[in-house]
Every structure is written in structure tokens, then in C-alpha cells.
Amino acid sequence: MFGTDRRVLALALARMADAVGNSFLIVVLPVYIASGSVSGSTFGLEEAMVTGIVLSLFGFLNSFTQPFAGRISDRTGKRKLFILLGLAILALTNVTYAFAGSYVSLMLIRGLQGVGVAFTIPCTIALVNELATADNRGGNMGIFNTFRLLGFGLGPIAAGSVVDGGSYTFAGVQLTGFDAAFYFAASGAFVSYLLVTLLVSDPERTEASAGEEFDLSLRDSTSGLDPVFTLGLTTLFLAISIALLATIEPTINERLNQGKTWFGLQFAAFVLAQVALQAPVGRASDRFGRRPFIIVGMVILVPATLIQGFVDTSMQMLVARLLQGVAGALVFAPALALAGDLAREGQSGTQLSILTMAFGLGTAIGPLASGFLVRYGFEMPFEFGATLAALGAVLVYTQVEETVPVGSDAESRPTPQD
């Protein structure tokens, strides 16, 4: 499949399994909080803001831990070990949601998940990068993201139905719809753990190649922004734009007079559009260059995000999210592949963690931003996201150079590691 290493396919399937379960939480947690099942102090904040904090803790702690986790894995060469550590923490904490009944406990669980998964994400991306070659890196990243996002897209579609299904009986034990959702999320992480354990191994490498320098540069030798850092900023802006919906789910449902299943479809539409496009876009970037796809994707993201603030039917929101998904597909795989092209030997975990950190940070900022801005008008969060998307397009156009000669044969071009 596009020359993909079997271990990359195994990693992709593993990420799909835990993404199905993890994406449940994005839809379920806001509804769980709003259901009255959670009690205790809200610290004087509105419910939407507290929901944003709960959802965002994962992203913040996950993001800021990733560079250090990536660096440790670079120095030790133990990618698989840290991937399994993160998945184990994710599985255990998903179970504990079923026993959490206060805002404080939800925050503690979500924060612990963020720190744990921080060891999984950069190590997984680094493994994909190291198992790829210069001529198929875009295709490998595309295949990996396709399966990951397929799982992420399927979760929200099923989540609303599972919660609305009411009471379940499993092995003689009564479960609420929320309990069932949390246990399902835990089972996804467990399946992922088994797949990595059985089918993935670390590539042959030397720990010494990582070097002593902790290389997270902001600027390059020409006094411009470092290209990998620029790609990280662009990924941040993209992630903020797509994460705006999470916190304001009740507001959207009320505005469009729709139920949770419709919202799940809208949330998933972004992901499902990418599932269809990630692999072909990644492969095309191997031959025609990474940069044009990223720029075009960010340009399309501007109207795709802005229009969501002005829709008045469920179908219009669904179409807007599909268009946003097309934009994301043009950015994700090419940006990761371009960062992989630029990563120095033995520093994939550290340098690619800039992009994975940025994405996690964006998924944390997005819910907070929408929870804060929606009070000034339904359209305000989406105007904010569209502005960031436009800035991202400008940054890539002015600060990032191409690594793939357009129309050239992949086998004939040098890589940065050479």
C-alpha cells in the first residue's frame, strides 16, 4: 500500500483502534458534564467554560510534555516502550471516567491522560518517519493518518447513539450509556496496546546519533522563522480551527434544532473527508512537492471555517465541515512529511514533536477559545479560526522552502539527512 512498511501499517491500525475510543470522549464528555452526572464546584465559571477546561487539559499537558518525551526516546532509541506506556495509561484512565462524579476528578483524569499519551504520539510519528524513505515519506504519513483519522471519525458517529441507548447489561452488570462509552474507549486503547506489542518493533539505530543538543529552534540562519517551527505554527492554527466545535456542542444543537447524532456526524465529517484524501495527497506530495498542498489547504480552510458561524441548518454545517476536512487533508500528511524531510538524523522524536505538540495545543486552545468567544456571538469563534488559517497560509508561503523538486524522480533527489 504505497510502499508502506508493515510496521507502519500496524502502527496505523493501532492508532485507529485507540482513536475510535478516544474520540468518543470529545462528544461524550460535554454531554456527560451537562447531564447533571457531575457535581461539585465550578470555580465560579460557566458550564461551557468548565467543559472547555476539562477538554483542554489533555491538550495542554500532552503538548508541553511531547518535546521532552520525544527527546528521551531519541536518546534511548526506545520508541515502542514509550508508545506502550502511553497506551496503558490511556486505557486505565478511560475506565476511571465511569467512577468520576466531580469536576475536579474529571480534570485530574484528563490531565493524567495528557501526560501519558504525550509519550505515545511523538514516538509513533518518529517511528513512521524512520521507517519511511525520502521517496515514500508522504505516502507513509498519508496512510498512517488515514487509519488514525478513520478511527477518529467513526467514534463520534457511534458515541451519540451509545449514550442515547440508555441502560446496558453486560455480564450481568448494569451500565449507563455514559459508562458504556467510557468502557468502550478503554477497550480501544487496549486493542491498540496489543497490536503494538505483537506487530511493532524499533528500527535498528544508534542512540548516539541523537546528539547532545536539544534542538527546538525558532529561527533559522537567515533570520527568518525556522521552517519546522513554521510548520508547527501552521498545524497549531489548523488544529484550533477544527476544534472550535467541541465545547459549544449544546449551543450548536440548540441553534440548528438538532440532536447529538447530527452533531456526531458533523464532527466526523471533517475526519471522514480526510480519510478519502490523506493517502493520495501524501503520495502526490512525494512527487510534486509538499509546500503547494499545505498552502492551498490553509487557503481553503479560511472560508470553510468562517461559514460555520453563519449556517442555519444541520446540512449546511455538515457541508462546511466536509470542506474543512478537504483543507485539513491537504495540510496534514504533506506537513508531517516536510518536517520529516527536514529532521536531522537521530532527532525525529524531538523535531517532529513540534508538529504533534502544536496539534495537541491547538485541540486544547480551540475549545477554550470557542467557550470564551461564543458569548460575544455565535459567529465569533469561527471568525477567529478563519483569521488564524489565513495567517498560517502566509507563514508557509513566506517562511518555508520546498524539499521535493517538482516533477522529479524521488530516487534521484537527496534528503536532508544526506
Side-chain angles (χ1 to χ4, degrees):
M1 192 178 291
F2 294 123
T4 305
D5 187 287
R6 67 170 183 80
R7 288 170 292 182
V8 174
L9 288 175
L11 285 168
L13 289 170
R15 287 292 290 132
M16 181 177 71
D18 82 78
V20 169
N22 200 35
S23 62
F24 258 57
L25 302 179
I26 297 175
V27 174
V28 172
L29 283 177
V31 181
Y32 182 60
I33 293 173
S35 69
S37 301
V38 182
S39 61
S41 173
T42 61
F43 314 103
L45 301 174
E46 297 178 0
E47 184 180 276
M49 196 64 189
V50 175
T51 303
I53 292 173
V54 171
L55 293 178
S56 298
L57 271 176
F58 176 91
F60 280 124
L61 293 175
N62 180 10
S63 299
F64 292 127
T65 307
Q66 282 188 42
F68 302 99
R71 180 58 179 168
I72 293 171
S73 74
D74 282 341
R75 293 294 295 155
T76 62
K78 304 296 184 183
R79 310 289 193 201
K80 179 178 177 178
L81 174 64
F82 292 114
I83 293 172
L84 292 176
L85 173 64
L87 290 173
I89 293 174
L90 182 62
L92 291 173
T93 51
N94 281 338
V95 171
T96 59
Y97 277 120
F99 304 96
S102 69
Y103 293 103
V104 172
S105 60
L106 287 180
M107 291 179 184
L108 289 175
I109 295 169
R110 197 64 174 156
L112 181 58
Q113 281 189 323
V115 173
V117 177
F119 285 92
T120 296
I121 295 175
C123 297
T124 303
I125 293 296
L127 253 182
V128 174
N129 184 61
E130 290 165 354
L131 294 170
T133 61
D135 62 324
N136 65 13
R137 182 167 285 115
N140 273 265
M141 291 296 185
I143 288 293
F144 175 79
N145 276 320
T146 294
F147 281 93
R148 178 180 68 87
L149 292 167
L150 179 61
F152 197 75
L154 292 174
I157 294 175
S161 299
V162 170
V163 173
D164 287 339
S167 180
Y168 300 88
T169 301
F170 181 77
V173 179
Q174 287 291 119
L175 299 175
T176 66
F178 290 117
D179 290 338
F182 296 141
Y183 288 132
F184 186 90
S187 66
F190 180 70
V191 170
S192 182
Y193 186 96
L194 290 179
L195 287 170
V196 174
T197 299
L198 298 174
L199 301 176
V200 176
S201 60
D202 289 317
E204 295 181 4
R205 61 188 303 277
T206 58
E207 292 79 5
S209 64
E212 296 295 334
E213 182 182 0
F214 191 82
D215 190 3
L216 288 176
S217 303
L218 303 184
R219 305 184 70 86
D220 64 11
S221 58
T222 63
S223 298
L225 291 176
D226 179 82
V228 176
F229 177 70
T230 301
L231 291 170
L233 282 178
T234 303
T235 302
L236 172 69
F237 298 155
L238 172 65
I240 290 173
S241 298
I242 66 177
L244 293 170
L245 263 68
T247 301
I248 57 175
E249 175 185 350
T251 304
I252 292 173
N253 291 344
E254 181 180 356
R255 175 185 173 89
L256 302 181
N257 192 28
Q258 65 181 24
K260 291 186 284 295
T261 300
W262 254 114
F263 181 83
L265 289 170
Q266 291 158 356
F267 190 91
F270 168 86
V271 180
L272 297 179
Q274 292 190 76
V275 168
L277 296 174
Q278 279 282 307
V281 167
R283 183 57 177 166
S285 76
D286 286 331
R287 181 162 182 78
F288 300 110
R290 327 283 193 199
R291 183 170 172 266
F293 289 97
I294 301 171
I295 294 173
V296 171
M298 294 304 291
V299 170
I300 295 175
L301 186 64
V302 176
T305 303
L306 181 61
I307 197 173
Q308 293 177 43
F310 299 92
V311 299
D312 52 20
T313 70
S314 299
M315 183 57 68
Q316 289 174 356
M317 179 64 83
L318 182 66
V319 172
R321 288 288 290 179
L322 283 170
L323 183 60
Q324 205 177 36
V326 172
L330 293 171
V331 176
F332 273 132
L336 285 169
L338 181 51
D341 292 339
L342 296 168
R344 297 172 179 84
E345 184 179 359
Q347 296 190 5
S348 293
T350 305
Q351 294 195 293
L352 289 176
S353 70
I354 296 176
L355 272 68
T356 57
M357 174 182 69
F359 186 82
L361 191 59
T363 60
I365 294 175
L368 280 179
S370 59
F372 174 76
L373 292 172
V374 75
R375 69 181 68 181
Y376 301 106
F378 182 77
E379 71 282 354
M380 285 297 293
F382 304 102
E383 291 174 346
F384 172 68
T387 301
L388 292 181
L391 178 58
V394 171
L395 284 174
V396 175
Y397 183 80
T398 59
Q399 302 296 319
V400 179
E401 295 184 0
E402 186 56 75
T403 60
V404 179
V406 177
S408 67
D409 290 331
E411 290 82 359
S412 64
R413 67 178 180 267
T415 66
Q417 288 89 341
D418 293 335

